[in-house]
Amino acid sequence: MRPAMVVGTAAFMVVAAAGGAIGMWPIYEDPWFLVMAAAAIALSIGVGSIALARSWVWWRTAISFATVFVVAGVPLAVPAVLTDPSQIPAALIGVLSAPVTGPNNLLTLELPLGTYQATLAPAFLVLLLAPGAALAIGARRSRWWGLAAPIALTPATFAIVFGATTATAGILAAVPILGLREALIGIASCSTVLLWMLWRAVMVRRLALREAGGIRQRPARRAAMGRAAIGTSMLLIAVIAAVSITPVLTALHPRTVPRSASEPIIRLAQEVSPLSTYRAMFAADTADEVLFEITTAGVDRVRLATLAFYDGQLARVTDPAAGINDPATAYTRLPSARLVGGDGVRADVVIGEYSGLWVPTVGTVAAIAFDGPDRAALADGFFYDAAAGSGIDISPVYGAGTSYTLRAAAPASMELSEATPPRSAPTLDETIVPESLTQWIRLQEAGSAGAGLADLVDRLRQRGYLSHALETPPPGTGWVADLGDYTFAPSRAGHSTDRIDALFTALVNRQTQLPDATDAELVAAVGDDEQFAVAAAMIADQLGFPSRIVVGARLQAEDGSAAGVPPCEDGTCRGRNITAWLEVQDVSGTWIPVDVTPQHEIPMDAVVDERRDPENATDVESERAEVVKPPEADPADADPRTSDDPESEVDLSSLVLGVQIAGSILLVLAILLGPLAVIVAVKAWRRRRRRRAALPAERIFGGWDEWVDATIDSGGPLPATRTRTEIVEAVGGADDARALAMIADHASFADESPQDEEATAFWQLVDRERERLGEAGSWRDRVRATLSLRSLRRGRRDRRP
């Protein structure tokens, strides 16, 4: 193989691999990735070039690539060995197992991966094999050279398959088009491969001609310029289509990649809502069990689970409307220390009798390190949702005896009364929110914003009464003993809409009965954190605050009040220490914790409203009421009907989306059918210009050119230097075609000029000949002739014999 072919092919493959590496950058986002990618591409091209120069068979080339992958992969894919040689055995195992375990590691780790463990190994493998293998196959004269094209696209495919579940917003701040970066990388990679295939075809043809007899082709500049113009037009059309259509497709169809369906999602779908099992923590057999022990400073809350969604039946971790594949609730592994703001917090945790997959965490976790012989399995099984701030561990060894150390950032602090709602309207469906809740809010006249929400939650807690059971527990045991002088009241479990409706109905009835009573006299709702957390979340939604329920424990008691659920004593959290609180989001994005546990000091005593009998007795008369007919209605006296409903804003989102979809469809049709319509329009304009020429002779010459163009588009030969009669004989023309040639020759060489009648008759013959050409072939031949470019490409000198 000639050096020019090797060098050119190598250049194209390097460009294609570099495009794929750019697409991989969001997966790693670490400077070492650039070093690894450059080294991998250079080594790949080197091995491929040596294989070509020495004409290696395929198995020798494969062995060479495998050797380079193992030897160079350890320092390049696991850079930690450069500073810690003791990790070389683990790094070697990670590199060797990368082809098998690498995809699973990439799909279950949170992006970006950095240089975590051996996660660079799969990318190193792809960048090492793809360009070199494509070079070794594509630069040979073999019938298998076409396999180099899909191999060269492997890096770009790797970036798409193992990329994030959401497309980037754009490559430049000035071009915030969703998915533009991915679209341009795909276009660039495919264009590079297509250009290489065209370049290779030209090179192979030239080499074949030279080897056949030293023939040197005269460069067809015009044809080359035409091909370049067509290629440039296609590229511009592809870019315009990508920029226009990608955002709409991204909005209509969320990006789905293998990362969207990993093991944690399946486990979460099978897990029962932690709030529905909340009361089990206060049962006699679990209330005193040590669930976990934590040693930390700087935080006062331990989080188990975050429930941000409510469907009227259960508070859930995942959105029931979006499904378990929603990227917004994705749990991913922590590949390395995360960069988080705030003050650093350390927490040492030891799991006791707790059973479940939720991992106690504090603040915003930056890193986690497990202890013990099973630390590797525990680390692989740990997944974290940064948005919710909660973690899970799906490892089978997670449970009693598990210990770990957390590095986290302390959450930002803010007073609820200073919060501003990000929304102006509630988001919960009206069928979920009971009417009694909105009625109770109206009765309070508490105002809006954070101050109003704080007032409403405080009244809800003061007028509620704490109870964790439906039946009377043994006196002096469990949670009852923690409450001291406590009067038991039965409380039904559950937090469905029906249960919340019963809670607020009791509050509304009591306040309606005693409109001027104090909070102590209005105690009417019984329940615990399970019901009151959902009730407070609904109130927050009515005031425009995004909210979520957190199940966890407190490490310190509430300031200024006796805790209904006691805090963990010296970091030892038992079943009776588990509580639930609400978190509401300020317009700045800060989540503010709000305690919701109802009071337990003032019992639910029945309030008897004694009313004196009226002093003036009323005589009770017998039933002798008469029916009085209403007066006839006069339409003229009727007042115009007015509506008390406030003007609602017109929702144009559906209309806008419909316009975008219709515009995208029209744009696609214009891109696909536009060039064809242009060809038909140009030919129609040319025919009209010829038919309406000023002089009869010009109309006849134009008619002859129209017949010649029709025969050329139907597959006939180019005129070249033939006379009109020779052209007719070359295409096997009929009598009408011969008559056209004779009339055109007469108009060219006769002394007298042709008349208008002759030009009209000539065009009638032309139309009849065009119909005959169309009827001679199938409908496919007619379409092909209509869209043919042969007649448009022939030069002016070809139009005259």
Side-chain angles (χ1 to χ4, degrees):
M1 183 57 63
R2 293 181 177 269
M5 178 68 73
V6 177
V7 173
T9 302
F12 278 107
M13 297 312 162
V14 168
V15 173
I22 295 174
M24 297 179 193
W25 170 255
I27 302 177
Y28 297 96
E29 291 188 4
D30 190 277
W32 185 259
F33 169 77
L34 301 178
V35 178
M36 183 277 298
I41 296 174
L43 291 172
S44 180
I45 296 299
V47 174
S49 301
I50 295 173
L52 284 172
R54 299 188 177 183
S55 301
W56 282 350
V57 293
W58 68 268
W59 57 266
R60 181 171 294 180
T61 305
I63 292 176
S64 301
F65 275 114
T67 304
V68 174
F69 173 68
V70 175
V71 175
V74 173
L76 290 175
V78 191
V81 301
L82 299 177
T83 56
D84 187 4
S86 63
Q87 298 187 22
I88 291 179
L92 182 61
I93 295 175
V95 170
L96 292 175
S97 61
V100 179
T101 62
N104 181 69
N105 293 333
L106 294 178
L107 295 177
T108 55
L109 281 169
E110 182 183 5
L111 302 182
L113 303 177
T115 58
Y116 177 67
Q117 293 183 358
T119 52
L120 281 171
F124 178 74
L125 176 62
V126 171
L127 294 176
L128 177 67
L129 292 181
L135 172 62
I137 296 175
R140 297 178 187 269
R141 289 190 179 182
S142 170
R143 61 178 179 176
W144 304 107
W145 71 270
L147 293 177
I151 294 176
L153 292 174
T154 304
T157 306
F158 178 92
I160 295 173
V161 172
F162 296 100
T165 55
T166 55
T168 56
I171 55 177
L172 297 173
V175 191
I177 301 176
L178 189 64
L180 177 61
R181 178 181 176 279
E182 288 79 4
L184 293 181
I185 290 175
I187 292 174
S189 300
C190 294
S191 300
T192 301
V193 174
L194 288 176
L195 289 174
W196 168 74
M197 296 176 72
L198 293 174
W199 174 85
R200 186 187 185 281
V202 173
M203 289 294 295
V204 169
R205 185 168 182 270
R206 289 181 179 177
L207 292 175
L209 290 174
R210 291 178 183 178
E211 293 174 358
I215 302 176
R216 291 185 177 270
Q217 276 192 310
R218 182 180 177 182
R221 296 181 179 179
R222 185 172 182 178
M225 293 177 61
R227 288 192 295 269
I230 294 174
T232 304
S233 302
M234 293 177 63
L235 183 59
L236 290 177
I237 290 174
V239 173
I240 295 173
V243 173
S244 305
I245 301 173
T246 300
V248 178
L249 296 180
T250 305
L252 292 178
H253 304 284
R255 175 171 162 85
T256 301
V257 294
R259 182 179 299 277
S260 303
S262 55
E263 186 178 0
I265 297 178
I266 301 174
R267 290 291 303 274
L268 284 174
Q270 300 171 349
E271 189 71 10
V272 180
S273 172
L275 199 62
S276 64
T277 59
Y278 174 72
R279 289 202 173 181
M281 296 296 180
F282 298 90
D285 55 344
T286 58
D288 294 326
E289 287 184 350
V290 177
L291 302 182
F292 56 89
E293 298 179 10
I294 181 170
T295 303
T296 185
V299 292
D300 63 346
R301 299 176 189 268
V302 181
R303 183 189 305 263
L304 284 176
T306 303
L307 315 174
F309 305 97
Y310 180 70
D311 60 1
Q313 295 296 327
L314 295 173
R316 303 178 184 273
V317 177
T318 57
D319 186 359
I324 62 175
N325 292 326
D326 186 10
T329 56
Y331 279 74
T332 56
R333 284 194 285 169
L334 286 174
S336 58
R338 297 160 47 87
L339 297 177
V340 293
D343 298 331
V345 176
R346 170 174 174 163
D348 297 312
V349 184
V350 178
I351 302 298
E353 299 300 325
Y354 174 74
S355 60
L357 54 79
W358 305 103
V359 177
T361 61
V362 295
T364 303
V365 177
I368 184 171
F370 290 89
D371 302 325
D374 298 325
R375 58 181 178 273
L378 291 168
D380 288 339
F382 178 75
F383 295 82
Y384 185 69
D385 183 358
S390 64
I392 61 175
D393 201 304
I394 60 175
S395 172
V397 296
Y398 174 69
T402 299
S403 61
Y404 56 89
T405 300
L406 285 175
R407 299 284 183 178
S413 60
M414 184 178 182
E415 294 296 332
L416 178 60
S417 59
E418 301 174 356
T420 302
R423 301 191 301 253
S424 59
T427 58
L428 287 177
D429 191 91
E430 295 180 355
T431 60
I432 294 178
V433 181
E435 177 63 26
S436 58
L437 182 144
T438 56
Q439 184 180 0
W440 183 81
I441 294 177
R442 288 194 297 267
L443 288 175
Q444 308 316 306
E445 300 179 355
S448 59
L453 178 59
D455 194 8
L456 289 173
V457 173
D458 183 66
R459 294 185 189 182
L460 178 66
R461 299 180 64 190
Q462 294 302 322
R463 300 175 187 182
Y465 191 67
L466 180 61
S467 176
H468 294 298
L470 182 61
E471 298 179 355
T472 306
T477 60
W479 61 271
V480 177
D482 294 333
L483 299 180
D485 186 12
Y486 172 77
T487 302
F488 175 76
S491 169
R492 181 162 57 94
H495 54 276
S496 63
T497 298
D498 177 70
R499 179 67 177 89
I500 305 303
D501 182 36
L503 186 147
F504 280 101
T505 299
L507 291 174
V508 170
N509 291 339
R510 180 60 62 90
Q511 188 168 353
T512 304
Q513 184 182 5
L514 303 173
D516 299 327
T518 62
D519 287 339
E521 297 173 327
L522 295 178
V523 177
V526 61
D528 57 10
D529 294 358
E530 179 186 1
Q531 294 80 38
F532 280 79
V534 175
M538 289 185 174
I539 295 174
D541 181 73
Q542 293 296 311
L543 270 64
F545 284 97
S547 61
R548 60 191 188 188
I549 299 169
V550 180
V551 177
R554 297 203 59 161
L555 301 179
Q556 300 175 9
E558 288 187 68
D559 296 335
S561 63
V565 177
C568 302
E569 184 176 355
D570 296 330
T572 301
C573 297
R574 305 178 186 273
R576 62 171 180 263
N577 302 128
I578 301 301
T579 183
W581 63 85
L582 183 70
E583 288 185 348
V584 297
Q585 190 178 37
D586 177 64
V587 68
S588 63
T590 302
W591 288 96
I592 307 169
V594 182
D595 292 306
V596 297
T597 306
Q599 60 85 29
H600 61 277
E601 294 90 353
I602 303 174
M604 295 179 55
D605 294 333
V607 178
V608 179
D609 187 16
E610 297 181 356
R611 292 183 172 84
R612 295 183 301 171
D613 292 336
E615 297 180 359
N616 299 324
T618 303
D619 296 334
V620 180
E621 299 181 359
S622 59
E623 297 182 359
R624 52 186 178 86
E626 298 179 357
V627 178
V628 180
K629 295 183 179 180
E632 295 182 359
D634 187 0
D637 297 335
D639 294 333
R641 183 175 180 181
T642 60
S643 176
D644 297 332
D645 297 336
E647 295 184 0
S648 59
E649 297 181 358
V650 180
D651 185 9
L652 299 179
S653 59
S654 300
L655 178 61
V656 172
L657 180 60
V659 172
Q660 289 179 341
I661 295 174
S664 300
I665 294 175
L666 293 177
L667 179 60
V668 172
L669 294 177
I671 292 174
L672 296 179
L673 304 180
L676 306 182
V678 169
I679 295 173
V680 175
V682 169
K683 290 185 177 181
W685 171 82
R686 183 181 63 183
R687 187 181 310 112
R688 183 176 179 273
R689 178 176 57 83
R690 290 168 173 173
R691 190 188 293 267
R692 298 187 179 185
L695 299 177
E698 292 180 351
R699 292 200 292 273
I700 291 176
F701 298 150
W704 172 256
D705 288 337
E706 185 67 24
W707 177 83
V708 173
D709 290 338
T711 57
I712 291 174
D713 289 336
S714 299
L718 291 173
T721 58
R722 297 185 180 94
T723 63
R724 292 188 177 98
T725 303
E726 290 174 345
I727 294 174
V728 172
E729 296 300 331
V731 299
D735 294 339
D736 288 341
R738 294 188 179 92
L740 290 175
M742 293 177 59
I743 296 174
D745 286 340
H746 184 271
S748 298
F749 305 112
D751 294 334
E752 68 276 5
S753 300
Q755 303 298 316
D756 291 337
E757 295 79 5
E758 297 180 50
T760 302
F762 188 88
W763 269 96
Q764 292 177 352
L765 290 176
V766 172
D767 294 337
R768 196 157 55 200
E769 267 294 288
R770 292 179 66 249
E771 292 179 0
R772 183 186 65 82
L773 291 173
E775 294 174 354
S778 62
W779 67 271
R780 292 183 180 179
D781 296 331
R782 290 192 292 272
V783 172
R784 188 181 298 110
T786 302
L787 302 178
S788 175
L789 296 175
R790 296 186 67 206
S791 63
L792 297 175
R793 291 200 304 262
R794 72 187 184 104
R796 176 176 292 272
R797 66 182 62 179
D798 294 333
R799 299 182 184 276
R800 294 289 185 272

